[in-house]
Structure formats: structure tokens, C-alpha cells
mmCIF file of all heavy atoms in Angstrom:
data_model
loop_
_atom_site.group_PDB
_atom_site.id
_atom_site.type_symbol
_atom_site.label_atom_id
_atom_site.label_comp_id
_atom_site.label_asym_id
_atom_site.label_seq_id
_atom_site.Cartn_x
_atom_site.Cartn_y
_atom_site.Cartn_z
ATOM 1 N N LEU A 1 -7.622 63.839 24.062
ATOM 2 C CA LEU A 1 -7.498 63.126 22.792
ATOM 3 C C LEU A 1 -8.359 61.869 22.810
ATOM 4 O O LEU A 1 -8.479 61.191 23.830
ATOM 5 C CB LEU A 1 -6.039 62.740 22.542
ATOM 6 C CG LEU A 1 -5.038 63.886 22.369
ATOM 7 C CD1 LEU A 1 -3.626 63.318 22.261
ATOM 8 C CD2 LEU A 1 -5.368 64.717 21.146
ATOM 9 N N ASN A 2 -8.948 61.563 21.658
ATOM 10 C CA ASN A 2 -9.688 60.322 21.480
ATOM 11 C C ASN A 2 -8.758 59.335 20.791
ATOM 12 O O ASN A 2 -8.767 59.181 19.566
ATOM 13 C CB ASN A 2 -10.951 60.579 20.642
ATOM 14 C CG ASN A 2 -11.759 59.314 20.424
ATOM 15 O OD1 ASN A 2 -11.710 58.392 21.240
ATOM 16 N ND2 ASN A 2 -12.481 59.260 19.305
ATOM 17 N N LEU A 3 -7.928 58.657 21.582
ATOM 18 C CA LEU A 3 -6.876 57.810 21.033
ATOM 19 C C LEU A 3 -7.415 56.460 20.579
ATOM 20 O O LEU A 3 -8.112 55.775 21.329
ATOM 21 C CB LEU A 3 -5.769 57.604 22.074
ATOM 22 C CG LEU A 3 -5.015 58.861 22.531
ATOM 23 C CD1 LEU A 3 -4.021 58.506 23.627
ATOM 24 C CD2 LEU A 3 -4.309 59.527 21.362
ATOM 25 N N VAL A 4 -7.079 56.103 19.332
ATOM 26 C CA VAL A 4 -7.423 54.787 18.782
ATOM 27 C C VAL A 4 -6.225 54.297 17.978
ATOM 28 O O VAL A 4 -5.333 55.064 17.626
ATOM 29 C CB VAL A 4 -8.676 54.857 17.872
ATOM 30 C CG1 VAL A 4 -9.894 55.296 18.657
ATOM 31 C CG2 VAL A 4 -8.435 55.767 16.681
ATOM 32 N N SER A 5 -6.208 53.005 17.673
ATOM 33 C CA SER A 5 -5.161 52.455 16.810
ATOM 34 C C SER A 5 -5.432 52.905 15.386
ATOM 35 O O SER A 5 -6.501 52.627 14.824
ATOM 36 C CB SER A 5 -5.145 50.922 16.906
ATOM 37 O OG SER A 5 -4.756 50.516 18.188
ATOM 38 N N LEU A 6 -4.478 53.594 14.785
ATOM 39 C CA LEU A 6 -4.686 54.239 13.495
ATOM 40 C C LEU A 6 -3.666 53.722 12.474
ATOM 41 O O LEU A 6 -2.464 53.988 12.599
ATOM 42 C CB LEU A 6 -4.546 55.750 13.658
ATOM 43 C CG LEU A 6 -4.813 56.616 12.440
ATOM 44 C CD1 LEU A 6 -6.265 56.490 11.990
ATOM 45 C CD2 LEU A 6 -4.493 58.076 12.742
ATOM 46 N N PRO A 7 -4.123 52.987 11.415
ATOM 47 C CA PRO A 7 -3.215 52.565 10.341
ATOM 48 C C PRO A 7 -2.817 53.790 9.503
ATOM 49 O O PRO A 7 -3.662 54.407 8.857
ATOM 50 C CB PRO A 7 -4.053 51.581 9.523
ATOM 51 C CG PRO A 7 -5.250 51.260 10.365
ATOM 52 C CD PRO A 7 -5.482 52.452 11.231
ATOM 53 N N ILE A 8 -1.563 54.131 9.520
ATOM 54 C CA ILE A 8 -1.104 55.365 8.885
ATOM 55 C C ILE A 8 -1.334 55.367 7.382
ATOM 56 O O ILE A 8 -1.815 56.351 6.810
ATOM 57 C CB ILE A 8 0.393 55.589 9.200
ATOM 58 C CG1 ILE A 8 0.573 55.884 10.686
ATOM 59 C CG2 ILE A 8 0.956 56.752 8.379
ATOM 60 C CD1 ILE A 8 -0.045 57.176 11.141
ATOM 61 N N TYR A 9 -1.000 54.280 6.704
ATOM 62 C CA TYR A 9 -1.087 54.274 5.240
ATOM 63 C C TYR A 9 -2.525 54.488 4.776
ATOM 64 O O TYR A 9 -2.779 55.252 3.837
ATOM 65 C CB TYR A 9 -0.541 52.952 4.674
ATOM 66 C CG TYR A 9 -0.347 52.988 3.176
ATOM 67 C CD1 TYR A 9 0.771 53.586 2.614
ATOM 68 C CD2 TYR A 9 -1.296 52.432 2.318
ATOM 69 C CE1 TYR A 9 0.953 53.636 1.243
ATOM 70 C CE2 TYR A 9 -1.130 52.469 0.944
ATOM 71 C CZ TYR A 9 0.003 53.074 0.411
ATOM 72 O OH TYR A 9 0.164 53.126 -0.952
ATOM 73 N N SER A 10 -3.480 53.836 5.438
ATOM 74 C CA SER A 10 -4.895 54.006 5.070
ATOM 75 C C SER A 10 -5.329 55.451 5.282
ATOM 76 O O SER A 10 -6.070 56.019 4.458
ATOM 77 C CB SER A 10 -5.774 53.070 5.902
ATOM 78 O OG SER A 10 -5.443 51.730 5.661
ATOM 79 N N MET A 11 -4.864 56.056 6.377
ATOM 80 C CA MET A 11 -5.226 57.441 6.633
ATOM 81 C C MET A 11 -4.653 58.360 5.554
ATOM 82 O O MET A 11 -5.335 59.279 5.073
ATOM 83 C CB MET A 11 -4.704 57.866 8.009
ATOM 84 C CG MET A 11 -5.130 59.273 8.413
ATOM 85 S SD MET A 11 -4.149 59.955 9.777
ATOM 86 C CE MET A 11 -2.570 60.179 8.971
ATOM 87 N N LEU A 12 -3.406 58.111 5.149
ATOM 88 C CA LEU A 12 -2.784 58.937 4.111
ATOM 89 C C LEU A 12 -3.536 58.819 2.787
ATOM 90 O O LEU A 12 -3.686 59.811 2.048
ATOM 91 C CB LEU A 12 -1.316 58.545 3.927
ATOM 92 C CG LEU A 12 -0.389 58.807 5.121
ATOM 93 C CD1 LEU A 12 1.040 58.376 4.794
ATOM 94 C CD2 LEU A 12 -0.413 60.268 5.530
ATOM 95 N N GLU A 13 -4.029 57.631 2.471
ATOM 96 C CA GLU A 13 -4.815 57.451 1.237
ATOM 97 C C GLU A 13 -6.111 58.264 1.299
ATOM 98 O O GLU A 13 -6.521 58.879 0.308
ATOM 99 C CB GLU A 13 -5.137 55.966 1.032
ATOM 100 C CG GLU A 13 -3.952 55.130 0.591
ATOM 101 C CD GLU A 13 -4.330 53.684 0.325
ATOM 102 O OE1 GLU A 13 -5.142 53.132 1.106
ATOM 103 O OE2 GLU A 13 -3.817 53.100 -0.643
ATOM 104 N N GLN A 14 -6.757 58.269 2.457
ATOM 105 C CA GLN A 14 -7.992 59.036 2.605
ATOM 106 C C GLN A 14 -7.720 60.540 2.509
ATOM 107 O O GLN A 14 -8.492 61.275 1.893
ATOM 108 C CB GLN A 14 -8.648 58.695 3.950
ATOM 109 C CG GLN A 14 -9.164 57.269 4.052
ATOM 110 C CD GLN A 14 -9.698 56.948 5.440
ATOM 111 O OE1 GLN A 14 -10.013 57.845 6.217
ATOM 112 N NE2 GLN A 14 -9.795 55.663 5.754
ATOM 113 N N VAL A 15 -6.611 60.980 3.100
ATOM 114 C CA VAL A 15 -6.245 62.397 3.017
ATOM 115 C C VAL A 15 -5.991 62.790 1.568
ATOM 116 O O VAL A 15 -6.464 63.832 1.090
ATOM 117 C CB VAL A 15 -4.992 62.686 3.884
ATOM 118 C CG1 VAL A 15 -4.458 64.089 3.602
ATOM 119 C CG2 VAL A 15 -5.322 62.539 5.360
ATOM 120 N N GLU A 16 -5.272 61.948 0.829
ATOM 121 C CA GLU A 16 -4.985 62.233 -0.580
ATOM 122 C C GLU A 16 -6.272 62.316 -1.389
ATOM 123 O O GLU A 16 -6.437 63.225 -2.222
ATOM 124 C CB GLU A 16 -4.088 61.150 -1.162
ATOM 125 C CG GLU A 16 -3.760 61.378 -2.631
ATOM 126 C CD GLU A 16 -3.270 60.119 -3.334
ATOM 127 O OE1 GLU A 16 -3.370 59.031 -2.738
ATOM 128 O OE2 GLU A 16 -2.809 60.228 -4.474
ATOM 129 N N ALA A 17 -7.182 61.404 -1.124
ATOM 130 C CA ALA A 17 -8.447 61.392 -1.875
ATOM 131 C C ALA A 17 -9.218 62.694 -1.671
ATOM 132 O O ALA A 17 -9.877 63.190 -2.597
ATOM 133 C CB ALA A 17 -9.288 60.194 -1.442
ATOM 134 N N GLY A 18 -9.142 63.264 -0.474
ATOM 135 C CA GLY A 18 -9.859 64.498 -0.193
ATOM 136 C C GLY A 18 -9.324 65.699 -0.955
ATOM 137 O O GLY A 18 -10.035 66.696 -1.132
ATOM 138 N N PHE A 19 -8.075 65.634 -1.400
ATOM 139 C CA PHE A 19 -7.454 66.760 -2.115
ATOM 140 C C PHE A 19 -7.223 66.454 -3.595
ATOM 141 O O PHE A 19 -6.588 67.236 -4.293
ATOM 142 C CB PHE A 19 -6.107 67.118 -1.465
ATOM 143 C CG PHE A 19 -6.234 67.797 -0.131
ATOM 144 C CD1 PHE A 19 -6.192 67.066 1.044
ATOM 145 C CD2 PHE A 19 -6.400 69.166 -0.066
ATOM 146 C CE1 PHE A 19 -6.303 67.689 2.266
ATOM 147 C CE2 PHE A 19 -6.507 69.812 1.160
ATOM 148 C CZ PHE A 19 -6.469 69.070 2.331
ATOM 149 N N GLU A 20 -7.745 65.346 -4.054
ATOM 150 C CA GLU A 20 -7.434 64.894 -5.417
ATOM 151 C C GLU A 20 -7.863 65.898 -6.481
ATOM 152 O O GLU A 20 -7.090 66.243 -7.384
ATOM 153 C CB GLU A 20 -8.110 63.541 -5.669
ATOM 154 C CG GLU A 20 -7.631 62.855 -6.929
ATOM 155 C CD GLU A 20 -8.165 61.437 -7.053
ATOM 156 O OE1 GLU A 20 -8.825 60.954 -6.113
ATOM 157 O OE2 GLU A 20 -7.905 60.833 -8.100
ATOM 158 N N LEU A 21 -9.099 66.396 -6.398
ATOM 159 C CA LEU A 21 -9.606 67.324 -7.412
ATOM 160 C C LEU A 21 -8.842 68.645 -7.393
ATOM 161 O O LEU A 21 -8.448 69.174 -8.442
ATOM 162 C CB LEU A 21 -11.104 67.579 -7.194
ATOM 163 C CG LEU A 21 -12.037 66.390 -7.447
ATOM 164 C CD1 LEU A 21 -13.473 66.764 -7.117
ATOM 165 C CD2 LEU A 21 -11.935 65.940 -8.907
ATOM 166 N N GLU A 22 -8.622 69.191 -6.193
ATOM 167 C CA GLU A 22 -7.901 70.459 -6.091
ATOM 168 C C GLU A 22 -6.465 70.319 -6.578
ATOM 169 O O GLU A 22 -5.933 71.215 -7.255
ATOM 170 C CB GLU A 22 -7.920 70.962 -4.640
ATOM 171 C CG GLU A 22 -7.385 72.373 -4.484
ATOM 172 C CD GLU A 22 -7.531 72.900 -3.062
ATOM 173 O OE1 GLU A 22 -8.131 72.195 -2.217
ATOM 174 O OE2 GLU A 22 -7.038 74.009 -2.806
ATOM 175 N N ALA A 23 -5.828 69.177 -6.267
ATOM 176 C CA ALA A 23 -4.456 68.947 -6.719
ATOM 177 C C ALA A 23 -4.391 68.836 -8.237
ATOM 178 O O ALA A 23 -3.456 69.330 -8.872
ATOM 179 C CB ALA A 23 -3.915 67.674 -6.070
ATOM 180 N N GLU A 24 -5.402 68.216 -8.816
ATOM 181 C CA GLU A 24 -5.439 68.075 -10.274
ATOM 182 C C GLU A 24 -5.560 69.434 -10.957
ATOM 183 O O GLU A 24 -4.907 69.700 -11.973
ATOM 184 C CB GLU A 24 -6.620 67.174 -10.674
ATOM 185 C CG GLU A 24 -6.621 66.802 -12.149
ATOM 186 C CD GLU A 24 -7.737 65.828 -12.482
ATOM 187 O OE1 GLU A 24 -8.286 65.182 -11.553
ATOM 188 O OE2 GLU A 24 -8.075 65.712 -13.679
ATOM 189 N N LYS A 25 -6.370 70.323 -10.390
ATOM 190 C CA LYS A 25 -6.517 71.673 -10.953
ATOM 191 C C LYS A 25 -5.202 72.441 -10.896
ATOM 192 O O LYS A 25 -4.886 73.237 -11.788
ATOM 193 C CB LYS A 25 -7.584 72.448 -10.173
ATOM 194 C CG LYS A 25 -9.000 71.962 -10.404
ATOM 195 C CD LYS A 25 -9.976 72.786 -9.582
ATOM 196 C CE LYS A 25 -11.403 72.275 -9.742
ATOM 197 N NZ LYS A 25 -12.352 73.051 -8.898
ATOM 198 N N LYS A 26 -4.423 72.214 -9.825
ATOM 199 C CA LYS A 26 -3.169 72.943 -9.647
ATOM 200 C C LYS A 26 -1.982 72.242 -10.297
ATOM 201 O O LYS A 26 -0.849 72.732 -10.248
ATOM 202 C CB LYS A 26 -2.885 73.143 -8.153
ATOM 203 C CG LYS A 26 -3.890 74.046 -7.446
ATOM 204 C CD LYS A 26 -3.557 74.184 -5.973
ATOM 205 C CE LYS A 26 -4.523 75.131 -5.272
ATOM 206 N NZ LYS A 26 -4.330 76.542 -5.687
ATOM 207 N N GLY A 27 -2.228 71.065 -10.893
ATOM 208 C CA GLY A 27 -1.142 70.328 -11.525
ATOM 209 C C GLY A 27 -0.178 69.714 -10.536
ATOM 210 O O GLY A 27 1.022 69.606 -10.809
ATOM 211 N N ILE A 28 -0.699 69.310 -9.389
ATOM 212 C CA ILE A 28 0.127 68.724 -8.324
ATOM 213 C C ILE A 28 -0.204 67.241 -8.186
ATOM 214 O O ILE A 28 -1.379 66.852 -8.196
ATOM 215 C CB ILE A 28 -0.096 69.440 -6.982
ATOM 216 C CG1 ILE A 28 0.363 70.903 -7.084
ATOM 217 C CG2 ILE A 28 0.661 68.745 -5.853
ATOM 218 C CD1 ILE A 28 0.074 71.724 -5.838
ATOM 219 N N THR A 29 0.819 66.408 -8.059
ATOM 220 C CA THR A 29 0.618 64.975 -7.829
ATOM 221 C C THR A 29 1.060 64.612 -6.414
ATOM 222 O O THR A 29 1.934 65.272 -5.833
ATOM 223 C CB THR A 29 1.429 64.134 -8.824
ATOM 224 O OG1 THR A 29 2.818 64.459 -8.704
ATOM 225 C CG2 THR A 29 0.958 64.405 -10.258
ATOM 226 N N PHE A 30 0.451 63.562 -5.865
ATOM 227 C CA PHE A 30 0.788 63.081 -4.522
ATOM 228 C C PHE A 30 1.659 61.840 -4.613
ATOM 229 O O PHE A 30 1.518 61.027 -5.528
ATOM 230 C CB PHE A 30 -0.487 62.751 -3.733
ATOM 231 C CG PHE A 30 -1.148 63.949 -3.109
ATOM 232 C CD1 PHE A 30 -2.166 64.612 -3.772
ATOM 233 C CD2 PHE A 30 -0.750 64.417 -1.875
ATOM 234 C CE1 PHE A 30 -2.779 65.710 -3.213
ATOM 235 C CE2 PHE A 30 -1.361 65.516 -1.304
ATOM 236 C CZ PHE A 30 -2.376 66.161 -1.975
ATOM 237 N N GLU A 31 2.537 61.709 -3.614
ATOM 238 C CA GLU A 31 3.328 60.490 -3.449
ATOM 239 C C GLU A 31 3.203 60.046 -1.999
ATOM 240 O O GLU A 31 3.491 60.824 -1.082
ATOM 241 C CB GLU A 31 4.799 60.743 -3.804
ATOM 242 C CG GLU A 31 5.679 59.516 -3.653
ATOM 243 C CD GLU A 31 7.136 59.806 -3.969
ATOM 244 O OE1 GLU A 31 7.399 60.516 -4.950
ATOM 245 O OE2 GLU A 31 8.016 59.325 -3.216
ATOM 246 N N ILE A 32 2.746 58.811 -1.793
ATOM 247 C CA ILE A 32 2.509 58.299 -0.443
ATOM 248 C C ILE A 32 3.471 57.154 -0.160
ATOM 249 O O ILE A 32 3.691 56.285 -1.013
ATOM 250 C CB ILE A 32 1.054 57.805 -0.282
ATOM 251 C CG1 ILE A 32 0.077 58.958 -0.527
ATOM 252 C CG2 ILE A 32 0.842 57.233 1.106
ATOM 253 C CD1 ILE A 32 -1.364 58.522 -0.470
ATOM 254 N N ALA A 33 4.026 57.127 1.044
ATOM 255 C CA ALA A 33 4.915 56.039 1.454
ATOM 256 C C ALA A 33 4.805 55.821 2.950
ATOM 257 O O ALA A 33 4.698 56.787 3.718
ATOM 258 C CB ALA A 33 6.358 56.347 1.063
ATOM 259 N N SER A 34 4.805 54.551 3.353
ATOM 260 C CA SER A 34 4.789 54.201 4.776
ATOM 261 C C SER A 34 5.748 53.032 4.981
ATOM 262 O O SER A 34 5.642 52.005 4.301
ATOM 263 C CB SER A 34 3.378 53.807 5.224
ATOM 264 O OG SER A 34 3.386 53.381 6.572
ATOM 265 N N ARG A 35 6.671 53.201 5.903
ATOM 266 C CA ARG A 35 7.672 52.164 6.155
ATOM 267 C C ARG A 35 7.670 51.833 7.649
ATOM 268 O O ARG A 35 8.089 52.680 8.446
ATOM 269 C CB ARG A 35 9.065 52.666 5.728
ATOM 270 C CG ARG A 35 9.102 53.167 4.286
ATOM 271 C CD ARG A 35 10.512 53.675 3.941
ATOM 272 N NE ARG A 35 10.526 54.312 2.636
ATOM 273 C CZ ARG A 35 10.360 55.623 2.425
ATOM 274 N NH1 ARG A 35 10.148 56.429 3.463
ATOM 275 N NH2 ARG A 35 10.399 56.124 1.210
ATOM 276 N N PRO A 36 7.149 50.629 8.036
ATOM 277 C CA PRO A 36 6.545 49.597 7.187
ATOM 278 C C PRO A 36 5.149 50.014 6.736
ATOM 279 O O PRO A 36 4.560 50.945 7.287
ATOM 280 C CB PRO A 36 6.503 48.388 8.114
ATOM 281 C CG PRO A 36 6.395 48.979 9.481
ATOM 282 C CD PRO A 36 7.183 50.248 9.450
ATOM 283 N N LYS A 37 4.627 49.294 5.764
ATOM 284 C CA LYS A 37 3.341 49.684 5.190
ATOM 285 C C LYS A 37 2.195 49.497 6.176
ATOM 286 O O LYS A 37 1.182 50.196 6.133
ATOM 287 C CB LYS A 37 3.064 48.884 3.914
ATOM 288 C CG LYS A 37 1.946 49.475 3.063
ATOM 289 C CD LYS A 37 1.915 48.870 1.687
ATOM 290 C CE LYS A 37 0.841 49.545 0.823
ATOM 291 N NZ LYS A 37 0.805 49.019 -0.551
ATOM 292 N N ASP A 38 2.349 48.542 7.103
ATOM 293 C CA ASP A 38 1.293 48.285 8.096
ATOM 294 C C ASP A 38 1.526 49.078 9.388
ATOM 295 O O ASP A 38 1.014 48.703 10.449
ATOM 296 C CB ASP A 38 1.203 46.792 8.408
ATOM 297 C CG ASP A 38 2.492 46.245 8.996
ATOM 298 O OD1 ASP A 38 3.526 46.961 8.977
ATOM 299 O OD2 ASP A 38 2.485 45.096 9.486
ATOM 300 N N LEU A 39 2.283 50.159 9.306
ATOM 301 C CA LEU A 39 2.594 50.992 10.477
ATOM 302 C C LEU A 39 1.307 51.504 11.126
ATOM 303 O O LEU A 39 0.449 52.085 10.460
ATOM 304 C CB LEU A 39 3.477 52.168 10.062
ATOM 305 C CG LEU A 39 3.841 53.189 11.149
ATOM 306 C CD1 LEU A 39 4.582 52.531 12.295
ATOM 307 C CD2 LEU A 39 4.672 54.320 10.550
ATOM 308 N N THR A 40 1.185 51.270 12.433
ATOM 309 C CA THR A 40 -0.002 51.684 13.197
ATOM 310 C C THR A 40 0.447 52.434 14.452
ATOM 311 O O THR A 40 1.381 52.011 15.126
ATOM 312 C CB THR A 40 -0.847 50.462 13.600
ATOM 313 O OG1 THR A 40 -1.250 49.768 12.417
ATOM 314 C CG2 THR A 40 -2.089 50.893 14.370
ATOM 315 N N ILE A 41 -0.230 53.544 14.728
ATOM 316 C CA ILE A 41 0.076 54.303 15.941
ATOM 317 C C ILE A 41 -1.230 54.590 16.670
ATOM 318 O O ILE A 41 -2.317 54.460 16.110
ATOM 319 C CB ILE A 41 0.799 55.627 15.642
ATOM 320 C CG1 ILE A 41 -0.137 56.597 14.904
ATOM 321 C CG2 ILE A 41 2.065 55.395 14.848
ATOM 322 C CD1 ILE A 41 0.420 58.008 14.786
#
């Protein structure tokens, strides 16, 4: 594994952006939540 400190919320936003067009075609919306918001692993 190439382990680095990864801010989860930012990663989830990038993942959502990658599926935005396909989700719109299928009528699907995304909901993102991170508790705490600055959660890093």
C-alpha cells in the first residue's frame, strides 16, 4: 500500500464529482457526510 494521510470528506467530494453526470441521467442524487468533517486516515 502507498499509505498517505487522506482527508475523507475531500475524497468523497471527488468521488461524487466523477459520477455526477451518470447519476443525473439515472435520476440519482448523492448525500455526503463525514463526522468529524476533518476526519483523516
Side-chain angles (χ1 to χ4, degrees):
L1 296 175
N2 180 27
L3 297 176
V4 297
S5 294
L6 184 64
I8 292 294
Y9 191 80
S10 298
M11 185 197 69
L12 295 180
E13 287 183 320
Q14 293 175 19
V15 170
E16 179 199 10
F19 288 94
E20 192 172 355
L21 292 177
E22 189 175 355
E24 188 176 342
K25 289 180 183 178
K26 294 179 178 290
I28 296 175
T29 58
F30 278 94
E31 180 182 318
I32 300 176
S34 176
R35 306 179 187 93
K37 195 167 184 178
D38 61 349
L39 177 59
T40 301
I41 67 170

